[in-house]
């Protein structure tokens, strides 16, 4: 979502005359768009500002803006701790960035803009066209979260759930496709909670996007198991452009831990959702997120996670050791022994990596459908992704980005597939 927001921040600042530059020393404005999910996010911001400060030591100070969730969570403290920061802007107020910059240039007063103004944000963003021109483009449809998992900062930094108007999203999708997008990834912190006016759900969006002529692939992320409703599951049967790959975080395989996390689902419920998905589309594959060493996790709880992982056989998953986020209920709980958690993480990651490698091995000597995203710099090689998001690097001197190609896979490693371009799928058909 930060990538989407960063692009939109660029659209807004270019409307008042700013351009992107690779020459950092020549920049007169830095926008650090931050994420608060990862560990040590705040410290990373201060380090980055330190680097900017150093390179401008002997020249005119640039305007320094911190936006995103770290700005939201630590607004006042940031301005007090680091005088080099001129402005902090929360993720629900960045639509005002143009006016704020112009105001700052007039008055030179520090600005703290961290209101939750999400409705106006999307109204304002609609007035400025989305300039993203990537083959695979992001489109935010929903923001915020009402689930309040005990480890997560999102409900505090992005605010309550908000769904953008249906037609606004469809217009933006058409705009992206006419800019060259061939894949759209619908985004939301809790994307499958999308519900506009109790009439339009995520399934309505997918079914409408499925009819856009030049759009080839649809994905969405990130979902909560509780919001995997039947109408959404049915899209995996009916909508050919919806890729058979779903990122569905479970976090733990232990019901005790899921309850302590306030996840609002148990492992049985999760497995029922997976079964339903496989029933409507046997090709579907699932990836997930796991938190290891959550406060209260015993060896038995961890073994339940391992058992679930082996049963479901996840691909491309993410796993981390629990780390507290200030202000969340889990932040005050007693931490588990770090060495034990590290061992558990290692064990889990070995299993997940093995699944990934075994999964990639199945493609060997097979033709695989790849959406070509870009040409690699200074090489006659291209980059694309399979239906399951696996990166594919292949050789050819004769293909176009945005094309759906058949690529014969000749080798693989844990994360990537390598191959040779065979045909343009559409022409072959
Ligand atoms: S559902 Fe996701 S975004 Fe919402 S609180 Fe839980 S982890 Fe955070």
């Amino acid at each position: 979502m930060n990538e989407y927001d960063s692009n939109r921040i660029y659209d807004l600042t270019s409307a008042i005359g700013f351009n992107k530059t690779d020459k950092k020393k020549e920049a007169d404005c830095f926008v650090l768009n931050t994420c608060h999910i990862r560990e040590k996010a705040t410290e990373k911001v201060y380090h980055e500002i330190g680097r900017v400060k150093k390179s401008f030591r002997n020249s005119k100070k640039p305007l320094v803006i911190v936006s995103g969730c770290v700005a939201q969570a630590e607004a006042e403290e940031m301005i007090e701790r680091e005088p080099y920061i001129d402005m902090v802007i929360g993720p629900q107020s960045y639509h005002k960035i143009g006016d704020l910059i112009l105001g700052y240039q007039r008055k030179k007063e520090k600005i703290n803009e961290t209101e939750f103004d999400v409705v106006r944000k999307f109204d304002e963003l609609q007035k400025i066209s989305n300039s993203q021109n990537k083959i695979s483009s992001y489109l935010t449809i929903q923001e915020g979260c009402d689930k309040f998992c005990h480890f997560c900062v999102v409900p505090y930094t992005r605010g309550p759930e908000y769904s953008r108007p249906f037609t606004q999203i469809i217009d933006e999708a058409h705009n992206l496709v006419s800019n060259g997008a061939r894949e759209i990834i619908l985004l939301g912190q809790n994307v499958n909670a999308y519900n506009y006016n109790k009439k339009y759900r995520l399934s309505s969006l997918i079914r409408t996007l499925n009819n856009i002529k030049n759009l080839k692939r649809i994905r969405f992320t990130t979902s909560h198991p509780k919001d995997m409703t039947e109408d959404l599951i049915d899209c995996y049967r009916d909508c050919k452009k919806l890729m058979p790959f779903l990122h569905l975080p479970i976090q733990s395989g232990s019901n005790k831990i899921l309850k302590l996390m306030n996840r609002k689902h148990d492992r049985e419920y999760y497995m029922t959702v997976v079964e339903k998905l496989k029933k409507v589309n046997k090709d579907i594959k699932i990836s997930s997120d796991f938190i290891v060493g959550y406060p209260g996790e015993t060896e038995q709880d961890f073994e339940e996670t391992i058992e679930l992982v082996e049963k479901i056989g996840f691909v491309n998953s993410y796993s981390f050791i629990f780390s507290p986020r200030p202000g969340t209920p889990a932040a005050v709980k007693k931490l588990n022994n770090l060495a034990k958690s590290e061992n558990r993480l290692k064990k889990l990651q070995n299993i997940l990596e093995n699944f990934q490698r075994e999964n990639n091995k199945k493609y060997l000597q097979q033709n695989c459908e790849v959406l070509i995203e870009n040409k690699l710099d200074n090489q006659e090689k291209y980059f694309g992704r399979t239906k399951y998001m696996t990166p594919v690097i292949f050789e050819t001197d004769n293909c176009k980005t945005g094309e759906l190609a058949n690529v014969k896979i000749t080798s693989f490693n844990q994360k990537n597939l390598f191959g040779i371009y065979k045909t343009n799928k559409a022409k072959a058909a």
Side-chain angles (χ1 to χ4, degrees):
M1 186 165 286
N2 268 26
E3 192 175 323
Y4 176 88
D5 289 346
S6 298
N7 282 322
R8 302 304 272 140
I9 287 172
Y10 174 65
D11 291 336
L12 292 157
T13 49
S14 60
I16 56 161
F18 283 85
N19 290 310
K20 277 182 196 165
T21 178
D22 291 332
K23 295 174 189 143
K24 281 195 182 176
K25 284 203 159 181
E26 289 176 13
D28 38 22
C29 175
F30 281 81
V31 182
L32 281 85
N33 193 26
T34 60
C35 172
H36 206 254
I37 293 279
R38 294 292 167 89
E39 210 179 353
K40 301 194 184 105
T42 313
E43 290 315 307
K44 283 181 189 156
V45 178
Y46 290 119
H47 287 156
E48 189 59 35
I49 291 173
R51 280 191 278 271
V52 176
K53 247 172 157 174
K54 206 170 157 193
S55 54
F56 282 82
R57 198 183 292 143
N58 300 317
S59 43
K60 190 173 167 253
K61 179 189 174 309
L63 175 62
V64 173
I65 301 171
V66 181
S67 61
C69 290
V70 175
Q72 184 71 41
E74 323 234 352
E76 278 303 325
E77 287 146 78
M78 295 201 100
I79 290 179
E80 269 171 36
R81 176 171 159 185
E82 180 47 270
Y84 211 70
I85 300 173
D86 301 302
M87 211 183 287
V88 288
I89 308 179
Q92 307 304 27
S93 327
Y94 73 73
H95 56 287
K96 300 175 192 163
I97 194 165
D99 287 343
L100 293 172
I101 290 175
L102 297 175
Y104 181 85
Q105 286 171 338
R106 277 193 308 271
K107 293 190 191 160
K108 300 277 183 256
E109 279 170 11
K110 303 244 177 214
I111 294 174
N112 172 358
E113 185 59 63
T114 45
E115 247 183 283
F116 284 137
D117 195 5
V118 66
V119 180
R120 248 195 72 210
K121 177 173 91 173
F122 285 108
D123 286 347
E124 290 298 316
L125 288 180
Q126 198 193 11
K127 295 179 195 160
I128 292 185
S129 101
N130 185 336
S131 70
Q132 233 188 127
N133 60 356
K134 285 186 168 177
I135 299 297
S136 174
S137 289
Y138 291 124
L139 202 177
T140 294
I141 65 165
Q142 179 278 345
E143 284 202 21
C145 184
D146 297 340
K147 298 280 189 298
F148 287 92
C149 299
H150 282 176
F151 53 82
C152 181
V153 286
V154 166
Y156 311 98
T157 55
R158 290 263 173 180
E161 278 171 12
Y162 166 78
S163 295
R164 287 180 71 186
F166 180 80
T167 47
Q168 209 182 80
I169 296 168
I170 299 301
D171 288 350
E172 195 170 325
H174 279 286
N175 181 28
L176 289 171
V177 174
S178 53
N179 275 359
R182 294 294 172 263
E183 172 176 276
I184 288 184
I185 306 179
L186 302 173
L187 294 179
Q189 271 87 32
N190 199 358
V191 71
N192 54 346
Y194 178 83
N195 190 333
Y196 181 65
N197 275 355
K198 298 204 168 84
K199 188 172 168 200
Y200 299 105
R201 323 246 327 230
L202 176 56
S203 58
S204 336
L205 283 169
I206 293 169
R207 285 179 189 275
T208 309
L209 293 185
N210 199 49
N211 292 326
I212 297 183
K213 194 169 160 241
N214 287 324
L215 183 65
K216 294 173 179 165
R217 288 180 169 182
I218 305 164
R219 305 181 190 274
F220 58 90
T221 197
T222 297
S223 303
H224 191 282
K226 266 289 183 203
D227 294 312
M228 285 307 300
T229 48
E230 303 282 337
D231 57 310
L232 181 56
I233 291 174
D234 286 347
C235 289
Y236 283 96
R237 182 192 58 214
D238 304 333
C239 301
K240 292 285 166 276
K241 294 180 185 175
L242 178 63
M243 291 297 99
F245 175 64
L246 174 67
H247 184 64
L248 191 62
I250 183 161
Q251 312 296 359
S252 169
S254 151
N255 281 342
K256 183 191 99 186
I257 296 299
L258 289 172
K259 200 153 191 213
L260 286 174
M261 288 176 168
N262 194 31
R263 281 291 289 173
K264 301 183 172 72
H265 64 83
D266 57 20
R267 61 182 270 148
E268 290 73 26
Y269 181 88
Y270 186 93
M271 287 176 62
T272 311
V273 170
V274 173
E275 271 163 31
K276 283 184 186 169
L277 284 160
K278 296 219 167 187
K279 206 167 162 195
V280 297
N281 185 338
K282 65 176 175 33
D283 295 330
I284 208 157
K285 290 184 185 170
I286 313 285
S287 71
S288 198
D289 293 337
F290 299 91
I291 295 176
V292 171
Y294 191 77
E297 185 190 77
T298 61
E299 206 53 41
Q300 167 66 25
D301 296 317
F302 175 67
E303 284 307 321
E304 288 176 24
T305 299
I306 296 292
E307 193 226 345
L308 179 112
V309 166
E310 284 175 336
K311 210 174 236 170
I312 294 185
F314 295 97
V315 292
N316 308 345
S317 294
Y318 301 92
S319 47
F320 305 93
I321 292 177
F322 168 78
S323 64
R325 294 292 173 274
T328 59
V332 294
K333 303 284 180 211
K334 186 170 175 278
L335 288 177
N336 276 12
N337 177 291
L338 183 62
K340 270 190 191 162
S341 298
E342 282 171 348
N343 280 340
R344 288 178 192 167
L345 183 70
K346 214 166 156 194
K347 181 171 176 185
L348 175 64
Q349 289 186 334
N350 275 341
I351 295 171
L352 291 170
E353 283 167 16
N354 222 13
F355 274 127
Q356 208 169 339
R357 205 170 286 112
E358 285 303 308
N359 188 53
N360 285 352
K361 197 174 168 184
K362 288 183 196 150
Y363 291 101
L364 212 50
Q365 303 307 326
Q366 304 290 320
N367 281 345
C368 177
E369 184 194 284
V370 174
L371 176 64
I372 306 175
E373 293 189 23
N374 57 280
K375 187 170 185 282
L376 297 183
D377 288 344
N378 311 320
Q379 295 183 50
E380 284 311 315
K381 285 184 181 163
Y382 283 79
F383 172 90
R385 288 183 191 271
T386 68
K387 290 180 179 179
Y388 301 101
M389 290 287 273
T390 307
V392 185
I393 294 162
F394 60 95
E395 289 174 28
T396 180
D397 49 11
N398 177 32
C399 76
K400 276 200 193 123
T401 55
E403 191 183 292
L404 273 183
N406 270 325
V407 174
K408 185 169 182 186
I409 304 303
T410 52
S411 63
F412 69 96
N413 61 24
Q414 183 214 321
K415 292 206 169 118
N416 305 295
L417 298 170
F418 304 92
I420 302 163
Y421 175 82
K422 295 305 265 185
T423 49
N424 172 326
K425 263 202 96 189
K427 278 191 195 152

